[in-house]
Each structure stands twice: as C-alpha cells, then as structure tokens.
Amino acid sequence: MKRSVNTVEDKILVLDFGGQYNQLIARRVREQHVYAEIQSYNRITAQEIKAAGYKGVIFTGGPNSVYDAASPHYDPEILQIGVPILGICYGDQLLAYMAGGRVDRAENFSEYGKTTVFFDDDILFRDVPQKGVCWMSHTDFISQPPAGFAVIAHTDQCPCAAMCDPDRKLYGVQFHPEVTHTEYGEQMLANFLFPICGCRADWKMEDFVERSIEKYRGELAGKKVLLALSGGVDSSVAAVLLHKAIGRNLTCVFVDHGLLRKGEGDFVEKTFRDTFGMNLIRVQAEKRFLKRLTGVRDPEEKRKIIGEEFIRVFEDEAKRLGKIHVLAQGTIYPDVVESGKGDSAVIKSHHNVGGLPDVISFEKIVEPLRTLFKDEVRQAGAQLGIPHALVWRQPFPGPGLAVRVIGAVTEEKLALLRDADAIFREEIGAAGLEEETNQYFAVLTDLRSVGVMGDARTYGYTVALRAVTTDDFMTAEWTRLPYDVLERSSNRITNEVTGISRVVFDITSKPPATVEWE
Ligand code: XMP
C-alpha cells in the first residue's frame, strides 16, 4: 500500500544514535522554521543522505562510549560528502573519533548538569557571549581533536567543549544546545542552520496547511476517503484538513464507545457535523463495548478488548458504506519515530483508537500529519479554524474512562465517574487553571468506604483526583492545585454525586506512578 507524505525544500537530518533528546533536537530545528527529520543511524547511508539533499546533519547524543565494540558508528564517508555536520555529545565524540581524533574516559571529571563553558570567536557562537551555562552529560571527552579541527570552546575541566573544521563545515559540541538549560543554545542552533548550512526558514504552518490541502485535492480527486474520528486533536486536525481538500468525499466515522467524558460525544458530533458541515457518522456502540468488558479487571486486557472492538465496529461501518478507496489516519511524527525504536519494557500498551482494519482493503493510506510534532498539529489546527477548546484539549486515552474506572467497568460506575470528573474539570476551569496543569481528571477507585450524611450512614465509592504538570508525559509532577479548588471539588462531588462518599487527591509523580491509574 502506498503512503503519501509531504515534501519541503530545505531539510535537516537528525541522525539518531539512541540519545534521549533526538525528538527535542528535531523540534528545536523546526522551531527555527527549518524542517527536520529523524533517522536511526543504521537506516540510512552516506550516499542516501547526499542524494536526499539534506542541508545539514545533526548527530545526536547516545548512551555509549565510542570505544565500546557494540556502540553505534557511522560510515566515515559522511565526512566527505560535503554536507555540514553538527555532532552533539556522543555525536561530537563520534565525529572526533571518525575523523581520527582521540576520545578518552574522563577519570577525574565527568561533567553532569549545568556547566560554565567559555566560547571562542567562531561562526557557531555568533551573537553568543564569551561564556554561558550549558547542559553537560558526559564521562568521555575529546582529548585530541582530529587533524584539521580547532578547539572552539572549553570548560574549567574539559579542554575541548566544542570543535570545528570550518573547511569541511564539521562542528561538534560536548554540551546539549537543544535543552533549555543551555543558555544561547537556540542561537547556536540558528548559527548552524543559517550561516553554516545555508538553510532557508521555509517551514511554516500556514504553508504546510495550504500545501497539504492542494496536494490532497489533486491526489484524492474522485476518491472516497474514510477516517476514524475520535475527537482527539490529531484525528480532528486530519479530518478538517482533508475536509477542506475533498469536502463530502471524506466520511468520518466517530465510534462512540460509551467511554467518553460527560457531554463529549455530543460535542464532537455538533462540532464536526454542524460547525464544519462534515459527513459524519456517529456509531453509538456503548452496549457492544460494555458487553465485551463485562467482568474484565486487568488494564491491559481492557486496552486489548477496546482496541479490537474498535476495529470491528469501524469495519462494520466501512462495509456498510460500500466502496471506499482510501483510509486516512491521524498518525503524527512521534508515533512514526517511536515505532521504529527497539524494545523497551511495555508499561502500558497505549492502544490508540484507530488501529488498522484488516478485512477491508484500501488502495492506500493517507496520513496528512505524519511529519508533524504535537505542537505543530495544534498550530495547524488553529490555522484551520478548529475551536480553541479542541485544539488545546488535554490528552485523553483511547480506551477512555475504562482505564479510569478501576476494576470491572459497569454503566453505573461510568455514570458516577463522568459526573465527578465533570465537576472537577468545571472547578479547574472556573479557577482559570486549565493552562497551569497539563492533564487533570477523576478516577473511580474500586474502594468503598463508610461515610455519614445527615444522620445516615453511607457506603459509597472513593474518587481520586489527579492533576499533572509535564512537558512530554514521559515524566510528570503532580500539580500543586490550590486547596480551595480541591475543597470545592470535593464538596461538590460528595454533595452532587450520590454514590461517592470520599474524595482523595493523588500526590504521586511519574515515575514512580504513571499518569493514569491503570
Ligand atoms: P501514563 O499513564 O502511561 O500516561 O503515564 C501517559 C499519557 O498517555 C495517556 N495514556 C494513553 N493514551 N491510550 C492512549 O491513547 C492509552 O491506552 C493510554 N494510556 C495512557 C495518558 O492519558 C497520559 O496522557
């Protein structure tokens, strides 16, 4: 099946050596309006890099030492193809090693964290003061730069904090310019991108949106296209973009699995059918999902069932619709990059609603957002006129409230949770705290406890409130919500939701906890 992608003029390759900041580097480049894409070091050759016309290559950091037998290396031919290179941390050491320099273990000084770096006068440090705080994380260091390279920065401990071979446009920095702890890191990246690589700043969301609409208008002319709309940011933006391109030839199927938050199903239906005038089918499949979830307590089992059932419902709908040529999906760039990674332990199998149906054959799949990071998807959404509430909607797991009702899921428990969650969200909204916390919700624990109301004994469920502050959801802090917001939420939940008699606030960060309870 053919996949269709967008193309732009000037692009940078982020060559991934297993560093934790690979996506961050690409995002930082794109923030400067230069398109960047990530490739694992072992999936592309020097000749392919040259042929693809990259304006520059950034070697990422990585956990290895260049002398480990198993450490990732790269074909030294890359130094000869005339493309500027910036090596970062391990990438810097690898560059030195490949070019014939010497890397040693820093027995007495591993630098970790904020470190003052002294910069020389070099194009890489144009408009950067003579010293600045940079983020370091290394135990190896370059003890002897390769022939043709000059040292252009140092620290009190490290003799070579940056190096360059200006003739071949090869640069290396021991620190991480991409992290916010590095002062002037943005300026250094800009210096690499513009004067060194000669990039144009032509990666702009308005252009992307316009170009994509044009492209799909041509490519999908006369084709019937089907898209699974969840109401989440990604599928919504993909839907509106394609709708602008092909109008009613796009059919959106919104599988309402009955596990959405209060009022959400109606909101999705109203927004897309009434506001955007889309061809939308809302499938009310709550009964089907609940039946399959009966008595299931294990979170992974819930995810599996919901993922499978979703595909079955979607397939049934697609079959009813007759001939459909193309399947559209809201895949975004981190999904593409992450799925190329090796195997790390599965903590949660984040089944996203919208897996691929396997009994229907499509001529092709289109993924209009396949090259975008989440913040870019939001920008595209804003460009397309999607309401703010939807573009900035907090993340909501595909399996929905099923993973927020701890233990077996029933209609009654879902109703309790929906009401409690709506109150909590209302109170956060009323206090104007929506931007202060990145995700906030209620969880219906499986615990019942004794309470007293009036003169009567109650025996109701305990609800947990959760609010987290995070950049990337990989790690998270619990949000320090004001006591009065917590108090109002607690009072209202216990007063207004019969069946809930106790409210607790989750004060665990991630790690060790995860954001969701299941
Ligand atoms: P955890 O609980 O893993 O959550 O710390 C991190 C982020 O992922 C969301 N999440 C999911 N999203 N399907 C999804 O689409 C899932 O099964 C799922 N589980 C967790 C969670 O809401 C948080 O934003």
Side-chain angles (χ1 to χ4, degrees):
M1 211 166 347
K2 277 193 295 179
R3 280 184 193 274
S4 139
V5 289
N6 285 286
T7 48
V8 283
E9 300 297 327
D10 285 356
K11 55 185 181 180
I12 291 286
L13 175 66
V14 175
L15 202 58
D16 180 15
F17 289 99
Q20 53 179 325
Y21 299 127
N22 61 2
Q23 295 198 24
L24 187 60
I25 296 170
R27 273 172 50 202
R28 291 284 181 256
V29 172
R30 291 193 191 185
E31 279 164 16
Q32 312 245 9
H33 303 292
V34 176
Y35 182 68
E37 53 192 28
I38 304 166
Q39 283 276 359
S40 177
Y41 73 96
N42 54 8
R43 298 237 175 104
I44 188 164
T45 64
Q47 280 312 322
E48 283 167 345
I49 291 173
K50 187 173 181 193
Y54 290 105
K55 301 285 273 189
V57 179
I58 299 179
F59 286 6
T60 74
N64 303 79
S65 165
V66 288
Y67 289 111
D68 293 346
S71 66
H73 280 57
Y74 200 76
D75 175 4
E77 195 196 335
I78 194 173
L79 308 185
Q80 317 305 336
I81 61 177
V83 180
I85 296 176
L86 173 65
I88 296 177
C89 197
Y90 174 81
D92 173 40
Q93 295 163 6
L94 185 66
L95 184 62
Y97 179 74
M98 282 166 52
R102 192 183 153 96
V103 177
D104 277 315
R105 183 139 294 237
E107 300 294 351
N108 304 320
F109 76 94
S110 59
E111 288 176 310
Y112 187 82
K114 291 182 179 175
T115 312
T116 300
V117 178
F118 301 89
F119 308 111
D120 297 344
D121 187 15
D122 186 87
I123 192 167
L124 190 64
F125 303 126
R126 185 185 279 177
D127 296 328
V128 172
Q130 284 174 339
K131 67 174 184 178
V133 170
C134 296
W135 187 257
M136 288 277 196
S137 165
H138 68 123
T139 39
D140 286 357
F141 75 110
I142 297 169
S143 50
Q144 174 74 57
F149 278 76
V151 172
I152 52 171
H154 66 279
T155 71
D156 284 339
Q157 309 259 27
C158 180
C160 177
M163 61 174 195
C164 81
D165 174 344
D167 295 339
R168 288 191 286 172
K169 298 193 177 179
L170 304 177
Y171 291 80
V173 290
Q174 183 54 69
F175 50 86
H176 288 274
E178 71 278 18
V179 305
T180 47
H181 306 298
T182 293
E183 290 179 306
Y184 320 109
E186 197 181 323
Q187 181 63 45
M188 297 174 203
L189 285 176
N191 292 340
F192 178 66
L193 297 175
F194 303 114
I196 296 173
C197 296
C199 291
R200 282 168 301 179
D202 65 357
W203 174 246
K204 305 235 167 70
M205 225 15 83
E206 313 88 273
D207 300 344
F208 173 86
V209 167
E210 284 305 311
R211 251 199 330 262
S212 302
I213 293 173
E214 276 308 304
K215 169 180 138 91
Y216 290 117
R217 193 168 282 152
E219 201 175 297
L220 300 176
K223 303 278 184 201
K224 295 274 178 215
V225 180
L226 187 65
L227 178 136
L229 184 74
S230 69
V233 181
D234 306 342
S235 63
S236 301
V237 174
V240 175
L241 192 151
L242 288 175
H243 176 69
K244 294 233 163 159
I246 59 166
R248 296 194 65 87
N249 270 349
L250 172 72
T251 304
C252 294
V253 171
F254 166 40
V255 176
D256 185 348
H257 52 23
L259 304 165
L260 296 171
R261 290 170 293 195
K262 193 169 184 170
E264 206 161 26
D266 294 342
F267 174 71
V268 171
E269 186 173 348
K270 191 165 167 314
T271 308
F272 293 96
R273 185 174 295 145
D274 301 349
T275 315
F276 285 107
M278 278 188 201
N279 202 352
L280 176 87
I281 299 172
R282 175 177 180 183
V283 190
Q284 306 268 18
E286 180 178 8
K287 295 257 171 321
R288 249 176 106 155
F289 279 87
L290 274 181
K291 189 157 164 239
R292 287 220 42 208
L293 287 169
T294 309
V296 178
R297 302 185 58 87
D298 177 59
E300 282 303 280
E301 190 61 23
K302 289 182 186 175
R303 283 189 169 81
K304 198 163 145 261
I305 290 174
I306 293 165
E308 278 170 14
E309 194 59 19
F310 183 89
I311 295 173
R312 298 289 91 85
V313 174
F314 189 68
E315 276 170 1
D316 289 351
E317 259 339 279
K319 272 191 259 171
R320 256 182 9 87
L321 286 168
K323 181 68 191 158
I324 299 283
H325 307 96
V326 177
L327 180 72
Q329 290 190 310
T331 318
I332 69 170
Y333 198 49
D335 306 331
V336 178
V337 180
E338 270 159 24
S339 59
K341 281 225 185 116
D343 23 52
S344 47
V346 174
I347 311 290
K348 293 181 193 184
S349 62
H350 287 210
H351 271 295
N352 266 319
V353 168
L356 208 56
D358 46 16
V359 301
I360 308 164
S361 59
F362 297 97
E363 284 169 20
K364 72 171 171 183
I365 295 177
V366 294
E367 297 172 314
L369 314 177
R370 197 178 157 79
T371 56
L372 301 189
F373 284 111
K374 192 82 180 188
D375 43 346
E376 294 173 323
V377 173
R378 292 205 161 100
Q379 286 170 34
Q383 282 292 324
L384 287 159
I386 300 178
H388 185 270
L390 225 161
V391 168
W392 288 101
R393 178 185 190 261
Q394 57 165 310
F396 185 65
L401 300 183
V403 291
R404 293 182 181 169
V405 166
I406 308 307
V409 182
T410 64
E411 224 173 310
E412 295 70 36
K413 284 183 176 173
L414 284 170
L416 291 180
L417 176 57
R418 247 183 225 119
D419 286 344
D421 182 70
I423 292 172
F424 184 44
R425 288 190 293 124
E426 256 170 54
E427 288 303 326
I428 295 265
L433 293 172
E434 284 137 321
E435 317 264 294
E436 309 293 311
T437 170
N438 301 98
Q439 196 174 3
Y440 49 99
F441 53 89
V443 174
L444 188 76
T445 75
D446 209 15
L447 180 81
R448 292 211 276 172
S449 69
V450 176
V452 52
M453 259 195 142
D455 289 330
R457 177 187 191 272
T458 57
Y459 189 56
Y461 281 103
T462 303
V463 150
L465 304 181
R466 179 89 164 128
V468 294
T469 306
T470 173
D471 280 337
D472 56 7
F473 297 90
M474 309 280 279
T475 60
E477 279 275 325
W478 60 276
T479 309
R480 272 58 172 173
L481 290 181
Y483 283 164
D484 55 336
V485 173
L486 291 171
E487 185 184 14
R488 266 198 308 278
S489 304
S490 164
N491 283 345
R492 281 192 57 200
I493 290 171
T494 45
N495 281 327
E496 295 173 32
V497 191
T498 311
I500 293 179
S501 54
R502 197 174 289 264
V503 177
V504 297
F505 183 49
D506 182 350
I507 54 164
T508 337
S509 291
K510 173 184 179 178
T514 52
V515 174
E516 302 288 346
W517 276 38
E518 283 201 333

PDB file of all heavy atoms in Angstrom, residues 303 348-352 395-399 404 439 473 510 514-516, ligand 1:
ATOM      1  N   ARG A 303      -7.510  -2.687  27.505  1.00  0.00           N
ATOM      2  CA  ARG A 303      -6.980  -1.988  26.323  1.00  0.00           C
ATOM      3  C   ARG A 303      -7.089  -2.851  25.077  1.00  0.00           C
ATOM      4  O   ARG A 303      -7.457  -2.390  24.007  1.00  0.00           O
ATOM      5  CB  ARG A 303      -5.509  -1.617  26.547  1.00  0.00           C
ATOM      6  CG  ARG A 303      -5.313  -0.430  27.436  1.00  0.00           C
ATOM      7  CD  ARG A 303      -3.854   0.009  27.435  1.00  0.00           C
ATOM      8  NE  ARG A 303      -3.706   1.286  28.083  1.00  0.00           N
ATOM      9  CZ  ARG A 303      -3.653   1.471  29.405  1.00  0.00           C
ATOM     10  NH1 ARG A 303      -3.734   0.440  30.225  1.00  0.00           N
ATOM     11  NH2 ARG A 303      -3.545   2.687  29.909  1.00  0.00           N
ATOM     12  N   LYS A 348       2.553   0.267  29.462  1.00  0.00           N
ATOM     13  CA  LYS A 348       1.145   0.275  29.042  1.00  0.00           C
ATOM     14  C   LYS A 348       1.140   0.209  27.534  1.00  0.00           C
ATOM     15  O   LYS A 348       1.943   0.868  26.885  1.00  0.00           O
ATOM     16  CB  LYS A 348       0.442   1.565  29.461  1.00  0.00           C
ATOM     17  CG  LYS A 348       0.305   1.703  30.938  1.00  0.00           C
ATOM     18  CD  LYS A 348      -0.401   2.970  31.312  1.00  0.00           C
ATOM     19  CE  LYS A 348      -0.199   3.179  32.799  1.00  0.00           C
ATOM     20  NZ  LYS A 348      -0.903   4.328  33.318  1.00  0.00           N
ATOM     21  N   SER A 349       0.190  -0.500  26.997  1.00  0.00           N
ATOM     22  CA  SER A 349       0.251  -0.695  25.556  1.00  0.00           C
ATOM     23  C   SER A 349      -0.543   0.372  24.814  1.00  0.00           C
ATOM     24  O   SER A 349      -1.161   0.084  23.842  1.00  0.00           O
ATOM     25  CB  SER A 349      -0.282  -2.066  25.196  1.00  0.00           C
ATOM     26  OG  SER A 349      -1.621  -2.133  25.596  1.00  0.00           O
ATOM     27  N   HIS A 350      -0.653   1.556  25.329  1.00  0.00           N
ATOM     28  CA  HIS A 350      -1.263   2.707  24.664  1.00  0.00           C
ATOM     29  C   HIS A 350      -1.949   2.455  23.326  1.00  0.00           C
ATOM     30  O   HIS A 350      -1.644   3.075  22.316  1.00  0.00           O
ATOM     31  CB  HIS A 350      -0.201   3.800  24.454  1.00  0.00           C
ATOM     32  CG  HIS A 350       0.130   4.467  25.733  1.00  0.00           C
ATOM     33  ND1 HIS A 350       0.527   5.769  25.827  1.00  0.00           N
ATOM     34  CD2 HIS A 350       0.112   3.997  26.993  1.00  0.00           C
ATOM     35  CE1 HIS A 350       0.742   6.060  27.087  1.00  0.00           C
ATOM     36  NE2 HIS A 350       0.507   4.998  27.812  1.00  0.00           N
ATOM     37  N   HIS A 351      -2.879   1.524  23.310  1.00  0.00           N
ATOM     38  CA  HIS A 351      -3.623   1.282  22.085  1.00  0.00           C
ATOM     39  C   HIS A 351      -4.346   2.535  21.699  1.00  0.00           C
ATOM     40  O   HIS A 351      -5.213   3.003  22.434  1.00  0.00           O
ATOM     41  CB  HIS A 351      -4.693   0.218  22.337  1.00  0.00           C
ATOM     42  CG  HIS A 351      -4.194  -1.136  22.108  1.00  0.00           C
ATOM     43  ND1 HIS A 351      -3.802  -1.573  20.886  1.00  0.00           N
ATOM     44  CD2 HIS A 351      -3.995  -2.161  22.953  1.00  0.00           C
ATOM     45  CE1 HIS A 351      -3.398  -2.821  20.985  1.00  0.00           C
ATOM     46  NE2 HIS A 351      -3.493  -3.194  22.236  1.00  0.00           N
ATOM     47  N   ASN A 352      -4.035   3.070  20.598  1.00  0.00           N
ATOM     48  CA  ASN A 352      -4.797   4.245  20.205  1.00  0.00           C
ATOM     49  C   ASN A 352      -5.992   3.833  19.382  1.00  0.00           C
ATOM     50  O   ASN A 352      -5.892   2.989  18.522  1.00  0.00           O
ATOM     51  CB  ASN A 352      -3.925   5.225  19.431  1.00  0.00           C
ATOM     52  CG  ASN A 352      -3.362   6.253  20.372  1.00  0.00           C
ATOM     53  OD1 ASN A 352      -4.060   6.728  21.255  1.00  0.00           O
ATOM     54  ND2 ASN A 352      -2.104   6.565  20.198  1.00  0.00           N
ATOM     55  N   PRO A 395      -4.841  15.617  26.789  1.00  0.00           N
ATOM     56  CA  PRO A 395      -4.828  14.255  26.260  1.00  0.00           C
ATOM     57  C   PRO A 395      -5.908  13.402  26.935  1.00  0.00           C
ATOM     58  O   PRO A 395      -6.212  13.603  28.110  1.00  0.00           O
ATOM     59  CB  PRO A 395      -3.444  13.722  26.643  1.00  0.00           C
ATOM     60  CG  PRO A 395      -2.681  14.851  27.172  1.00  0.00           C
ATOM     61  CD  PRO A 395      -3.594  15.979  27.465  1.00  0.00           C
ATOM     62  N   PHE A 396      -6.451  12.519  26.171  1.00  0.00           N
ATOM     63  CA  PHE A 396      -7.457  11.604  26.720  1.00  0.00           C
ATOM     64  C   PHE A 396      -7.145  10.229  26.144  1.00  0.00           C
ATOM     65  O   PHE A 396      -6.998  10.083  24.937  1.00  0.00           O
ATOM     66  CB  PHE A 396      -8.853  12.073  26.306  1.00  0.00           C
ATOM     67  CG  PHE A 396      -9.953  11.260  26.916  1.00  0.00           C
ATOM     68  CD1 PHE A 396     -10.150  11.259  28.292  1.00  0.00           C
ATOM     69  CD2 PHE A 396     -10.787  10.478  26.127  1.00  0.00           C
ATOM     70  CE1 PHE A 396     -11.159  10.491  28.865  1.00  0.00           C
ATOM     71  CE2 PHE A 396     -11.800   9.721  26.698  1.00  0.00           C
ATOM     72  CZ  PHE A 396     -11.984   9.730  28.060  1.00  0.00           C
ATOM     73  N   PRO A 397      -6.997   9.222  26.997  1.00  0.00           N
ATOM     74  CA  PRO A 397      -6.565   7.920  26.472  1.00  0.00           C
ATOM     75  C   PRO A 397      -7.603   7.301  25.541  1.00  0.00           C
ATOM     76  O   PRO A 397      -8.811   7.438  25.783  1.00  0.00           O
ATOM     77  CB  PRO A 397      -6.385   7.075  27.740  1.00  0.00           C
ATOM     78  CG  PRO A 397      -7.148   7.768  28.807  1.00  0.00           C
ATOM     79  CD  PRO A 397      -7.188   9.225  28.449  1.00  0.00           C
ATOM     80  N   GLY A 398      -7.123   6.632  24.523  1.00  0.00           N
ATOM     81  CA  GLY A 398      -8.018   5.944  23.584  1.00  0.00           C
ATOM     82  C   GLY A 398      -9.045   5.051  24.300  1.00  0.00           C
ATOM     83  O   GLY A 398     -10.233   5.104  23.978  1.00  0.00           O
ATOM     84  N   PRO A 399      -8.617   4.243  25.276  1.00  0.00           N
ATOM     85  CA  PRO A 399      -9.585   3.370  25.959  1.00  0.00           C
ATOM     86  C   PRO A 399     -10.503   4.131  26.919  1.00  0.00           C
ATOM     87  O   PRO A 399     -11.339   3.545  27.590  1.00  0.00           O
ATOM     88  CB  PRO A 399      -8.715   2.389  26.745  1.00  0.00           C
ATOM     89  CG  PRO A 399      -7.325   2.608  26.293  1.00  0.00           C
ATOM     90  CD  PRO A 399      -7.236   3.967  25.704  1.00  0.00           C
ATOM     91  N   ARG A 404     -10.092   4.453  33.748  1.00  0.00           N
ATOM     92  CA  ARG A 404     -10.223   5.332  34.924  1.00  0.00           C
ATOM     93  C   ARG A 404     -11.281   4.805  35.888  1.00  0.00           C
ATOM     94  O   ARG A 404     -11.478   5.360  36.949  1.00  0.00           O
ATOM     95  CB  ARG A 404     -10.551   6.763  34.489  1.00  0.00           C
ATOM     96  CG  ARG A 404      -9.387   7.384  33.756  1.00  0.00           C
ATOM     97  CD  ARG A 404      -9.638   8.809  33.350  1.00  0.00           C
ATOM     98  NE  ARG A 404      -8.478   9.316  32.622  1.00  0.00           N
ATOM     99  CZ  ARG A 404      -8.472  10.454  31.953  1.00  0.00           C
ATOM    100  NH1 ARG A 404      -9.559  11.206  31.923  1.00  0.00           N
ATOM    101  NH2 ARG A 404      -7.379  10.838  31.317  1.00  0.00           N
ATOM    102  N   GLN A 439      -2.792  17.825  32.502  1.00  0.00           N
ATOM    103  CA  GLN A 439      -3.843  16.816  32.393  1.00  0.00           C
ATOM    104  C   GLN A 439      -4.479  16.672  33.761  1.00  0.00           C
ATOM    105  O   GLN A 439      -3.777  16.609  34.774  1.00  0.00           O
ATOM    106  CB  GLN A 439      -3.234  15.477  31.927  1.00  0.00           C
ATOM    107  CG  GLN A 439      -4.275  14.505  31.421  1.00  0.00           C
ATOM    108  CD  GLN A 439      -3.676  13.233  30.818  1.00  0.00           C
ATOM    109  OE1 GLN A 439      -2.458  13.047  30.819  1.00  0.00           O
ATOM    110  NE2 GLN A 439      -4.511  12.364  30.315  1.00  0.00           N
ATOM    111  N   PHE A 473       4.845  14.029  29.099  1.00  0.00           N
ATOM    112  CA  PHE A 473       4.099  12.905  29.656  1.00  0.00           C
ATOM    113  C   PHE A 473       4.970  11.676  29.920  1.00  0.00           C
ATOM    114  O   PHE A 473       4.471  10.650  30.338  1.00  0.00           O
ATOM    115  CB  PHE A 473       2.878  12.540  28.778  1.00  0.00           C
ATOM    116  CG  PHE A 473       1.889  13.668  28.727  1.00  0.00           C
ATOM    117  CD1 PHE A 473       1.983  14.635  27.740  1.00  0.00           C
ATOM    118  CD2 PHE A 473       0.918  13.799  29.700  1.00  0.00           C
ATOM    119  CE1 PHE A 473       1.098  15.713  27.717  1.00  0.00           C
ATOM    120  CE2 PHE A 473       0.030  14.867  29.683  1.00  0.00           C
ATOM    121  CZ  PHE A 473       0.118  15.826  28.693  1.00  0.00           C
ATOM    122  N   LYS A 510       5.337  10.998  38.323  1.00  0.00           N
ATOM    123  CA  LYS A 510       5.702   9.911  37.393  1.00  0.00           C
ATOM    124  C   LYS A 510       7.159  10.090  37.028  1.00  0.00           C
ATOM    125  O   LYS A 510       7.484  11.152  36.491  1.00  0.00           O
ATOM    126  CB  LYS A 510       4.838   9.983  36.150  1.00  0.00           C
ATOM    127  CG  LYS A 510       5.284   8.992  35.058  1.00  0.00           C
ATOM    128  CD  LYS A 510       4.484   9.132  33.797  1.00  0.00           C
ATOM    129  CE  LYS A 510       4.979   8.137  32.753  1.00  0.00           C
ATOM    130  NZ  LYS A 510       4.225   8.166  31.505  1.00  0.00           N
ATOM    131  N   THR A 514       2.334   6.165  37.176  1.00  0.00           N
ATOM    132  CA  THR A 514       2.065   6.645  35.821  1.00  0.00           C
ATOM    133  C   THR A 514       0.981   7.712  35.936  1.00  0.00           C
ATOM    134  O   THR A 514       0.451   7.939  37.020  1.00  0.00           O
ATOM    135  CB  THR A 514       1.608   5.489  34.908  1.00  0.00           C
ATOM    136  OG1 THR A 514       0.541   4.804  35.544  1.00  0.00           O
ATOM    137  CG2 THR A 514       2.749   4.543  34.617  1.00  0.00           C
ATOM    138  N   VAL A 515       0.675   8.353  34.822  1.00  0.00           N
ATOM    139  CA  VAL A 515      -0.347   9.403  34.874  1.00  0.00           C
ATOM    140  C   VAL A 515      -1.705   8.768  35.146  1.00  0.00           C
ATOM    141  O   VAL A 515      -2.403   9.118  36.106  1.00  0.00           O
ATOM    142  CB  VAL A 515      -0.382  10.216  33.564  1.00  0.00           C
ATOM    143  CG1 VAL A 515      -1.537  11.211  33.583  1.00  0.00           C
ATOM    144  CG2 VAL A 515       0.945  10.937  33.343  1.00  0.00           C
ATOM    145  N   GLU A 516      -2.079   7.825  34.309  1.00  0.00           N
ATOM    146  CA  GLU A 516      -3.341   7.114  34.524  1.00  0.00           C
ATOM    147  C   GLU A 516      -3.130   6.084  35.631  1.00  0.00           C
ATOM    148  O   GLU A 516      -2.013   5.618  35.846  1.00  0.00           O
ATOM    149  CB  GLU A 516      -3.763   6.378  33.234  1.00  0.00           C
ATOM    150  CG  GLU A 516      -3.933   7.267  32.019  1.00  0.00           C
ATOM    151  CD  GLU A 516      -5.164   8.159  32.086  1.00  0.00           C
ATOM    152  OE1 GLU A 516      -6.035   7.922  32.940  1.00  0.00           O
ATOM    153  OE2 GLU A 516      -5.223   9.106  31.278  1.00  0.00           O
TER     154      GLU A 516
HETATM  155  P1  XMP B   1       0.746   7.043  31.534  1.00  0.00           P
HETATM  156  O1  XMP B   1      -0.446   6.570  32.313  1.00  0.00           O
HETATM  157  O2  XMP B   1       1.358   5.957  30.700  1.00  0.00           O
HETATM  158  O3  XMP B   1       0.171   8.125  30.538  1.00  0.00           O
HETATM  159  O4  XMP B   1       1.749   7.736  32.393  1.00  0.00           O
HETATM  160  C1  XMP B   1       0.923   8.986  29.736  1.00  0.00           C
HETATM  161  C2  XMP B   1      -0.037   9.669  28.803  1.00  0.00           C
HETATM  162  O5  XMP B   1      -0.626   8.710  27.922  1.00  0.00           O
HETATM  163  C3  XMP B   1      -2.027   8.666  28.082  1.00  0.00           C
HETATM  164  N1  XMP B   1      -2.439   7.259  28.004  1.00  0.00           N
HETATM  165  C4  XMP B   1      -2.981   6.690  26.925  1.00  0.00           C
HETATM  166  N2  XMP B   1      -3.275   7.206  25.708  1.00  0.00           N
HETATM  167  N3  XMP B   1      -4.100   5.105  25.040  1.00  0.00           N
HETATM  168  C5  XMP B   1      -3.855   6.408  24.784  1.00  0.00           C
HETATM  169  O6  XMP B   1      -4.183   6.858  23.687  1.00  0.00           O
HETATM  170  C6  XMP B   1      -3.823   4.502  26.230  1.00  0.00           C
HETATM  171  O7  XMP B   1      -4.070   3.313  26.428  1.00  0.00           O
HETATM  172  C7  XMP B   1      -3.235   5.350  27.219  1.00  0.00           C
HETATM  173  N4  XMP B   1      -2.820   5.126  28.490  1.00  0.00           N
HETATM  174  C8  XMP B   1      -2.328   6.319  28.949  1.00  0.00           C
HETATM  175  C9  XMP B   1      -2.311   9.281  29.413  1.00  0.00           C
HETATM  176  O8  XMP B   1      -3.621   9.812  29.483  1.00  0.00           O
HETATM  177  C10 XMP B   1      -1.214  10.318  29.507  1.00  0.00           C
HETATM  178  O9  XMP B   1      -1.553  11.473  28.788  1.00  0.00           O
END
